């Protein structure tokens, strides 16, 4: 989890995927909603009452950097699925721009879109979306098949990804013969098979048992390390978001509430909604020393042990409690602050 | 004082719906006694209106000698004749068909095995053997040839239409409407004009069957396509599938088992047309039934009807097995066995082409005549034993229920009936009920057969109520008890596919010529489908839900009334709708046993050229009654339901 | 279940072995049909047994003596008439009136022509079962019908006497008759011949009153001698205005209709059809053999032809 601060400072120029003012409105005459400020300002219930429309995604802007795991989080119905589908125009956005590798996706025609979907994007679905009439290997090679690759080629490639996701030996079974976790591995393998640049996950593990879910999360972390793909990962599970996400976008009723790293969300919630959201988090597992260090008091000795700002509170607990003087938080030779027993205990003992 | 006001407010704000309905009915009855006999729009048997005459005059305007219809006719004729040559009629200068009985049995059993399983293969062989032993081999093969042709052509039309309706919401809406009309429009109405389009012969019979049999396939294909999990479709699209690829690689394969259900229902519908199509010279078992009916030979008619039932059950079980086959492909062993079986089939075909014993079904142990004799005896016995009692029942029901209802409907002025029914529809179903009701009733007035329509409406309402009541009881019973289900299914299948013509004679003997007889026949015909749908709905209630109800100590009755029936509400609405359609499709048959009114009008229009227009109007009136009752019940069900009709698309 | 499969295979093999030895197909090829000069003609078969008797005998003679190929088509009358126009029907062997259709297809469209009487006389009227005629001898006079109206009350007749009408194929004058003769009866549509016959059977067996529309010749008269009610006698022209009819049905001379094409073809079959004539008794004989003795039409025809060679020869012009 030390990767957290290694994400590149996101600039428009080197963003892989850049979203600007994105709207998706369902309902009659949806286009007018983003255009008319009076309508755009309405909340969900009022909008529905007045126009019969639902704004599933409202005015979102963010960039996704190459190699990043970008997590979108929110309660059910907050528009996550709609958002992720808008990214490849599986759902046609109502307004806004989508720039991928400098190309305007909203201007792309059907054919170009298909080409992109065949080679650049892949998606993993909550309920797997497998084809029950095809064996595992044929499910995995589906994407290769429709782009016209020869049978031996797609067999070989499919076998590779099947091995990669740990499905070896199950190639000739049908999806219904597999457990949920295994089925989602098939979904994962299918997404990886056409070697995309961006992987989109729509709550891929929500339907799985907790144990399996944790295993699969670890699997994703491993894959990310091995293949280094950019990922947009949807979840409603905060711990999952914190575990996987380099950055997290928290949504509510289609709009962005806060965008930041996990410890930013926990350490500096933008509003009460976010605060409520992150309340039950084991803060010690998320917060780093950066968030809890304080100015040294004048009378304090400054010769205690040194730690970096990105060390998790949990990892530092023992050292701080054992030391008989405040621990210094130092970055690049610069003293950021110190941490004493009470700061550590305030976080660790935090039960609310 | 304050308390009283608030009480009253509550009363005024929400008058119970049943109270409003009761008041409306009372007002109607009161008004009936005052206005009885005014504006009742009676039209005598041989009388016609200008509209009817206009229809009669324009009957022959349709495409006689039209090159397009000719081309269709020739193609269909050839197709049917080819099938007949292969399995039923002497052909190609040989005294026997291309494939004799042994070959047909072998091929059928083999196909049943290949597409289904070995059990249905045995059933197929046994079933075909049985109709052979009944002495009806050739007739059965003629029926089979015609059925195969009609079903294949139906699917050729229905599956593309179904796909279209599955993919497009608008097409789906239009299709549902048109299909409802196609299924309620009495066959008799288009039978004669069809012979004008397509001449007398196999083509007209096949196409008449097609019109009646295609709707279920369209409906279920559309339903299947729409029920494919959206995620699978999205997955395919997200990988860059074209529309064609999504259709052929995802939607169609995943719809397979539901489409097979549609095919199954199409086959059943086609078989139920066998007797009607015989009226325009369709060959096969229908002819046997009609001939036997001319001399009231119940035994022979039943024997032929039984053959139809047997064919229906075989085809039903085979298609069901084919639909239920898992995705898994054949094991090596099965492949080897299939190969060996194929060789066996070829040998059997060769035999059936070479040796007389394998070509012509042996006539010696003729079970058919035995069945006929036993049936006649049983029928006579039943008539003798129950005859008096059944007349009593008839008179009680007719005088106690039917006559008052009919008097109310036929004796009230048309505008009073219209006003009351529209008001009832509004109370029960809101504007969604009231609007179609108003339109249908006004169109009924326009057809010129208002009075007959009201007579038929009375019988239809009564029959439908009985059908729904019986169907609910049987369906709940079968849905909750597996053993009952297994026993009741074949009986239901028989009730559904046995041509009604077969049981008309015993019914006439038991109940005489009366509206009650027609109602009884309609009930027998419609109860099976209602029961089946209810049973399936009850079975589909999640086990957990029932367990939850049991766990809080509900009695059986509470489980049924508070859990299973409400949860199966969808299925029950469908059951009511189908029960209604089946009852209406028996209106014409009812006309043949004394129901008079619209059914008789349609039959007379078919038989007498000068009444053609009136018959057609009567047919349209039946459709209008169907739409009226269907829309009102649907709207009422939607209103009663706790769930908002969001998923209505499905 | 594995065993079952093997058993199946074994039976097949056994069958195969046993089968090699039967008589071969085509060993005794039947004489090929169709004398050249006669050719094929399409014969409609209307749905009543009397008609079937006509069809059986004519088809038998045409096939056996003239070598024609006869294609029988089971059709309702209306559709058979339509068939003259489309060329699907060549011969109708028993036509009951149908002046309107004659006008349309013979006069206007000129696709059909009359081919003379069948010699069979059709009688339409109101009938009661035999027991009633015995118990109430005066019931056969229409003037007494009102006296007995109460007897004929049923659940369908709204308090009046019930007059049961028949098959929708026939144009009946019964509603007009009831009205114009001031009878206290209601016409109830039975809807089919089957229903009528069943009603008579029931009435006779259980001694129930029944008054119904019926007609002769009909095979059912072999089973039961229905008694006709005497309505005011028919006089030419008394049925000119349908709504004013107050007299009995006219006697029908049942006739034959053929397509124009067939009449002009010069086929010997046309001559046969034209000459075909017999009596009510003849038709009843054959009809009984079909309906009661359960012979196939062909067997019945063969039997009758053997006993009536002179008549047949007359038809053939021998
Ligand atoms: N096809 C649609 N038509 C109308 N409303 C929709 C549609 N799809 C989603 N919505 C609405 O948009 C909102 C967001 O839905 P969704 O993106 O599925 O949320 P999430 O994935 O966060 O649970 C919900 O209120 C949902 O009802
Ligand atoms: Mg979602």
């Amino acid at each position: 989890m030390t990767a957290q601060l290694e994400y590149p400072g996101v600039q428009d120029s080197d963003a892989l995927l850049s979203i600007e003012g994105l709207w998706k409105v369902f309902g009659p005459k949806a286009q007018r909603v983003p255009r008319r400020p009076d309508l755009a300002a309405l909340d969900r219930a009022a909008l529905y009452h007045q126009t019969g429309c639902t704004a599933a995604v409202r005015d979102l802007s963010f960039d996704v950097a190459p190699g990043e795991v970008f997590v979108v989080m929110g309660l059910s119905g907050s528009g996550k699925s709609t958002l992720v589908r808008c990214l490849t125009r599986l759902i046609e956005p109502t307004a806004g721009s989508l720039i991928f590798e400098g190309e305007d996706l909203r201007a792309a025609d059907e054919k170009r879109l298909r080409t992109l979907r065949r080679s650049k994007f892949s998606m993993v679905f909550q309920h797997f979306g497998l084809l029950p009439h095809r064996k595992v290997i044929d499910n995995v090679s589906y994407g290769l098949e429709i782009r016209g690759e020869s049978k031996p080629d797609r067999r070989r490639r499919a076998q590779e990804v099947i091995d990669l996701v740990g499905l070896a030996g199950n190639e000739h079974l049908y999806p219904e013969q597999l457990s949920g976790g295994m089925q989602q591995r098939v979904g994962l393998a299918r997404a990886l098979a056409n070697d995309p640049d961006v992987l989109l996950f729509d709550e891929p593990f929500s339907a799985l048992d907790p144990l399996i879910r944790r295993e699969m999360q670890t699997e994703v972390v491993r894959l990310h390390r091995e293949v280094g793909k950019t990922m947009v990962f949807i979840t409603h599970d905060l711990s999952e978001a914190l575990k996987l996400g380099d950055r997290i976008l928290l949504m509510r009723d289609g709009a962005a509430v806060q965008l930041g790293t996990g410890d930013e969300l926990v350490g500096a919630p933008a509003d009460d909604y976010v605060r409520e959201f992150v309340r039950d988090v084991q803060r010690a597992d998320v917060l780093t020393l950066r968030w809890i260090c304080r100015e040294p008091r004048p009378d304090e000795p400054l010769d205690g042990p040194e730690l970096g700002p990105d060390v998790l509170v949990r990892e530092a607990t023992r050292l701080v409690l054992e030391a008989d003087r405040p621990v210094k938080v130092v970055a690049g030779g610069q003293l950021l602050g110190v941490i004493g027993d009470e700061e550590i205990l305030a976080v660790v003992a935090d039960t609310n | 004082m304050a308390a009283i006001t608030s009480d009253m407010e509550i009363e005024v704000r929400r008058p119970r719906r049943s109270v409003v309905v009761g008041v409306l009915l009372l007002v109607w009855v009161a008004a009936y006694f005052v206005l009885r006999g005014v504006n009742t729009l009676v039209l005598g048997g041989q009388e016609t209106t200008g509209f009817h005459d206009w229809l009669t005059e324009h009957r022959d305007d349709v495409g006689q000698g039209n090159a397009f219809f000719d081309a269709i006719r020739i193609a269909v004729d050839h197709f049917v004749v080819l099938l007949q040559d292969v399995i039923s009629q002497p052909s190609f200068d040989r005294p026997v068909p291309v494939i004799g009985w042994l070959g047909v049995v072998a091929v059928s059993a083999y196909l049943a095995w290949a597409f289904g399983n070995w059990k249905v293969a045995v059933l197929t062989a046994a079933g075909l053997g049985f109709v052979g032993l009944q002495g009806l081999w050739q007739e059965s093969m003629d029926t089979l040839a015609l059925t195969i042709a009609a079903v294949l052509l139906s699917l050729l039309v229905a599956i593309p239409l179904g796909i279209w309706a599955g993919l497009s919401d608008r097409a789906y809406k239009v299709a549902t409407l048109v299909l409802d009309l196609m299924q309620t429009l009495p066959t008799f109405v288009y039978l004669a004009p069809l012979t004008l389009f397509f001449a007398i012969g196999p083509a007209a019979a096949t196409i008449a069957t097609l019109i009646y049999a295609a709707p279920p396939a369209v409906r279920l294909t559309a339903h299947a396509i729409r029920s494919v999990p959206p995620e699978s479709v999205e997955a395919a699209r997200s990988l860059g599938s074209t529309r064609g690829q999504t259709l052929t690689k995802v939607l169609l394969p995943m719809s397979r088992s539901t489409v097979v259900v549609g095919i199954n229902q199409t086959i059943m519908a086609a078989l139920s047309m066998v007797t009607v199509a015989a009226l325009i010279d369709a060959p096969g078992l229908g002819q046997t039934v009609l001939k036997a009916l001319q001399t009231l030979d119940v035994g022979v008619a039943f024997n032929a009807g039984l053959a139809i039932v047997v064919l229906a059950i075989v085809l039903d079980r085979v298609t069901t097995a084919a639909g239920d086959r898992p995705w898994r492909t054949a094991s090596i062993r099965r492949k080897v066995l299939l190969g060996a079986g194929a060789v066996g089939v070829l040998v059997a075909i060769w035999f059936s082409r070479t040796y007389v014993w394998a070509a012509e079904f042996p006539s010696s142990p003729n079970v058919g005549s035995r069945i006929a004799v036993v049936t006649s005896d049983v029928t006579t016995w039943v008539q003798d034993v129950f005859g008096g009692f059944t007349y009593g029942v008839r008179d009680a029901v007719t005088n106690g229920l039917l006559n008052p209802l009919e008097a109310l409907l036929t004796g009230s002025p048309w505008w009073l009936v219209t006003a009351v029914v529209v008001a009832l529809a509004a109370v029960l179903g809101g504007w969604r009920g009231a609007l179609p009701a108003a339109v249908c009733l006004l169109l009924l007035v326009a057809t010129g057969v208002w009075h007959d329509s009201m007579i038929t409406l009375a019988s239809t309402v009564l029959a439908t109520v009985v059908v729904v009541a019986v169907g609910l009881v049987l369906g709940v019973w079968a849905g909750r008890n597996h053993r009952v289900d297994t026993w009741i299914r074949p009986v239901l299948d028989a009730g559904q596919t046995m041509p009604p013509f077969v049981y008309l004679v015993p019914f006439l003997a038991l109940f005489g010529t009366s509206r009650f007889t027609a109602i009884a026949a309609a009930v027998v015909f419609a109860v099976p489908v209602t029961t089946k749908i209810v049973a399936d709905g009850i079975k589909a209630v999640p086990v957990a839900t029932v367990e939850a109800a049991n766990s809080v100590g509900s009695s059986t009755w509470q489980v049924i009334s508070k859990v299973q029936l409400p949860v199966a509400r969808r299925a029950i609405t469908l059951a009511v709708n189908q029960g209604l359609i089946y009852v209406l499709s028996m209106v014409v048959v009812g006309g043949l046993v004394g129901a008079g009114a619209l059914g008789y009008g349609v039959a007379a229009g078919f038989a007498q050229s000068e009444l053609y227009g009136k018959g057609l109007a009567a047919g349209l009136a039946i459709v209008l009654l169907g739409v009226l009752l269907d829309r009102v019940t649907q709207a009422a069900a939607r209103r009663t339901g706790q769930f908002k009709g969001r998923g209505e698309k499905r | 279940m594995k065993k079952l499969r093997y058993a199946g295979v074994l039976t097949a093999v056994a069958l195969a072995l046993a089968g090699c030895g039967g008589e071969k197909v085509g060993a005794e090829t039947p004489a090929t049909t169709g004398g050249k000069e006669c050719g094929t003609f399409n014969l409609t078969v209307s749905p009543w047994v009397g008609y079937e008797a006509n069809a059986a005998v004519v088809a038998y003679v045409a096939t056996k003596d003239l070598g024609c190929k006869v294609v029988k088509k089971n059709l309702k009358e209306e559709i058979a008439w339509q068939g003259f126009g489309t060329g699907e029907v060549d011969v109708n062997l028993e036509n009951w009136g149908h002046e309107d259709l004659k006008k349309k297809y013979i006069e206007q469209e000129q696709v059909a022509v009359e081919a003379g009487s069948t010699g069979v006389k059709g009688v339409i009227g109101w009938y009661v079962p035999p027991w009633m005629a015995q118990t109430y001898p005066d019931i056969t006079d229409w003037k007494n019908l009102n006296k007995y109206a109460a007897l004929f009350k049923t659940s369908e007749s709204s308090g009046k006497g019930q007059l049961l009408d028949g098959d929708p194929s026939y144009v009946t004058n019964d509603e007009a008759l009831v009205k114009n003769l001031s009878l206290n009866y209601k016409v109830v549509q039975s809807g089919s011949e089957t229903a009528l016959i069943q009603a008579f059977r029931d009435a006779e067996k259980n001694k129930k009153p029944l008054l119904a529309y019926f007609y002769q010749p009909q095979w059912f008269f072999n089973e039961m001698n229905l008694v006709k009610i005497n309505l005011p006698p028919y006089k030419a022209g008394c049925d000119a205005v349908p709504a004013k009819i107050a007299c009995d049905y006219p006697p029908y001379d049942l006739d034959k209709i053929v397509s124009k094409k067939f009449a002009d073809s010069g086929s010997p079959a046309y001559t046969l059809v034209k000459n075909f004539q017999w009596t009510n008794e003849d038709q009843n004989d054959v009809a009984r053999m079909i309906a009661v003795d359960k012979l196939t039409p062909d067997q019945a025809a063969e039997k009758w032809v053997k006993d009536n060679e002179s008549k047949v020869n007359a038809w053939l012009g021998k």
Side-chain angles (χ1 to χ4, degrees), chain C residues 209-222:
Chain C
L210 177 69
L211 174 67
Y213 171 99
F214 213 66
Y215 31 78
Q216 279 175 304
Q218 226 289 349
W219 67 270
F220 185 60
F221 278 85
N222 291 313

Side-chain angles (χ1 to χ4, degrees), chain A residues 26 44 54 56 74-83 202-203, chain B residues 646:
Chain A
F26 290 109
R44 186 190 179 86
T54 310
L75 298 178
S76 165
S78 58
K80 310 179 296 290
S81 297
T82 310
L83 167 63
D202 185 12
E203 302 203 27
Chain B
R646 241 269 198 116

Side-chain angles (χ1 to χ4, degrees), chain B residues 255-281:
Chain B
S255 309
R256 193 196 61 167
S257 53
T258 311
V259 172
V260 173
V261 175
I263 296 176
N264 172 303
Q265 295 200 8
T266 293
I267 295 175
M268 296 296 120
L271 277 173
S272 70
M273 275 288 288
V274 164
T275 333
V276 175
L279 293 172
I280 50 171
D281 200 37

